[in-house]
Amino acid sequence: MMKRTLGEVSAECQERLITHYGPEVSWWLDTVPALFAQAAERWNLTLGGYHDAGCASVIATAGNLDGRPLLLKAWADPTRFRNEVTALRLWVRGPTVDVVEVADDLAVAALEMIGGRPGGYERPPRELETVAAALHGLHTFGRRRHRPRGLPSLAAYLHQEIRPRVWRRLEVLDLGPWRDLVSAIFPELLALEEDDGRATVLHTDLYRENVLFDWLGHPRFIDPLPMVGDAAFDWAFWTVYYDLGHGTGTRLATAARVARIPVPVLAPWCRALAVDGLLHYLETADPRARRMADVLAWLSAPAPGNRP
């Protein structure tokens, strides 16, 4: 018998989305079981259960009549849904998750289940090298294929979001021993300039949990927050955030070699993202603040010693 209904979203998932979007998302969370039921009926799927991951969407496992395992993803933000699906379709046959079905009216999509299980297959021994090569390939797709209209720009994100929030937090937060370090880097953030020759469609959310591996050990990118802009941003994000506080120097050197962007060009982007992240962690009392401060200090040292 096919299962086409699920219960209410877990309390943990609800808490994450409310933290991310605010209490106004609660009404949408109440509609999620009905959204998944409509999608399952429309695409002739059987539902498994919720996959409790992520802070901006709700995910459930499913399967089609042939037994192919899928993930159903419902987005609370329709704009985020459109942008993500647009980018994944642009990158089709590239190192990303496959989009199987899309329901624009529901803001729900059926996605390939990479590696046959939620979270993907085992990570290979040469993880960093394969991820770097795949990211370079992703950027190549973004440059060579016809770029769709409507995706946000990195320039607007820098000007309208990152710089204003860094400035605001500098004014209101007690930075303690890190004030001089952060204050010294803020002018560098204001002076950042993109290179149009490196413009592509960016992923911009390159945490380790957003890079899964298939049966063959190939990396597959999921959950993009796509923008159009300088590839240096993605490489800097990967350098800083992929495994925060571990292997930063190795990733920076790998990024410079694979992307052919010199370290002196990448380093200011890394420092800008580290400053933004540190201030966010301090404002939210996140315990990762000290780890990020250590990364920022290493990135700012004239001659870094031990690599964090």
Side-chain angles (χ1 to χ4, degrees):
M1 183 176 177
M2 299 187 75
K3 178 182 176 183
R4 287 189 173 153
T5 58
L6 296 174
E8 66 178 17
V9 177
S10 73
E12 294 81 5
C13 183
Q14 292 191 43
E15 182 179 352
R16 288 198 303 273
L17 267 78
I18 289 171
T19 299
H20 187 81
Y21 287 112
E24 59 273 16
V25 81
S26 296
W27 70 268
W28 177 82
L29 288 164
D30 292 337
T31 72
V32 167
L35 295 176
F36 280 152
Q38 290 180 67
E41 180 72 27
R42 187 177 301 181
W43 300 325
N44 211 16
L45 305 177
T46 182
L47 299 178
Y50 289 112
H51 175 51
D52 200 11
C55 63
S57 60
V58 179
I59 298 172
T61 60
N64 63 12
L65 291 177
D66 295 328
R68 181 185 184 185
L70 302 171
L71 291 177
L72 288 187
K73 184 172 182 178
W75 285 258
D77 180 355
T79 300
R80 186 164 178 159
F81 156 74
R82 288 192 297 272
N83 290 344
E84 183 168 335
V85 169
T86 295
L88 291 175
R89 283 172 163 168
L90 171 74
W91 292 323
V92 67
R93 294 186 298 280
T96 54
V97 61
D98 289 341
V99 178
V100 179
E101 301 280 3
V102 174
D104 293 321
D105 57 323
L106 306 178
V108 173
L111 306 173
E112 167 194 21
M113 189 184 292
I114 297 169
R117 65 189 186 191
Y121 204 59
E122 296 177 3
R123 294 176 179 272
R126 291 176 56 83
E127 178 180 348
L128 290 184
E129 292 85 350
T130 58
V131 172
L135 182 58
H136 182 64
L138 194 76
H139 290 159
T140 301
F141 272 88
R143 278 191 291 269
R144 292 182 178 175
R145 291 183 171 175
H146 179 70
R147 202 171 295 158
R149 296 180 180 272
L151 289 178
S153 73
L154 175 60
Y157 180 60
L158 285 171
H159 180 66
Q160 297 172 13
E161 295 192 43
I162 290 185
R163 287 167 178 148
R165 74 190 180 204
V166 168
W167 179 254
R168 176 183 62 80
R169 287 164 174 163
L170 276 173
E171 291 186 316
V172 302
L173 290 177
D174 178 9
L175 303 183
W178 302 312
R179 174 161 290 279
D180 289 346
L181 177 61
V182 172
S183 298
I185 294 170
F186 184 61
E188 187 176 60
L189 169 59
L190 294 176
L192 275 181
E193 291 187 5
E194 295 187 70
D195 185 330
D196 291 340
R198 294 192 297 262
T200 186
V201 178
L202 307 172
H203 185 287
T204 84
D205 211 30
L206 291 162
Y207 295 100
R208 196 167 184 241
E209 58 265 29
N210 287 341
V211 184
L212 307 184
F213 287 84
D214 61 21
W215 303 100
L216 299 175
H218 297 152
R220 308 282 291 280
F221 297 100
I222 65 169
D223 294 349
L225 284 171
M227 298 180 200
V228 176
D230 192 330
F233 181 94
D234 262 359
W235 288 108
F237 195 108
W238 182 68
T239 295
V240 172
Y241 281 100
Y242 188 77
D243 189 6
L244 182 61
H246 303 283
T248 310
T250 300
R251 287 194 299 279
L252 179 58
T254 302
R257 175 174 52 81
V258 174
R260 297 183 181 178
I261 304 175
V263 167
V265 175
L266 283 175
W269 288 92
C270 294
R271 288 190 288 268
L273 287 171
V275 163
D276 186 41
L278 173 60
L279 295 178
H280 170 69
Y281 292 156
L282 289 172
E283 186 174 58
T284 57
D286 192 305
R288 290 173 291 183
R290 179 165 292 278
R291 209 183 316 164
M292 182 63 85
D294 290 343
V295 170
L296 181 58
W298 182 85
L299 287 166
S300 304
N306 294 326
R307 294 175 175 178

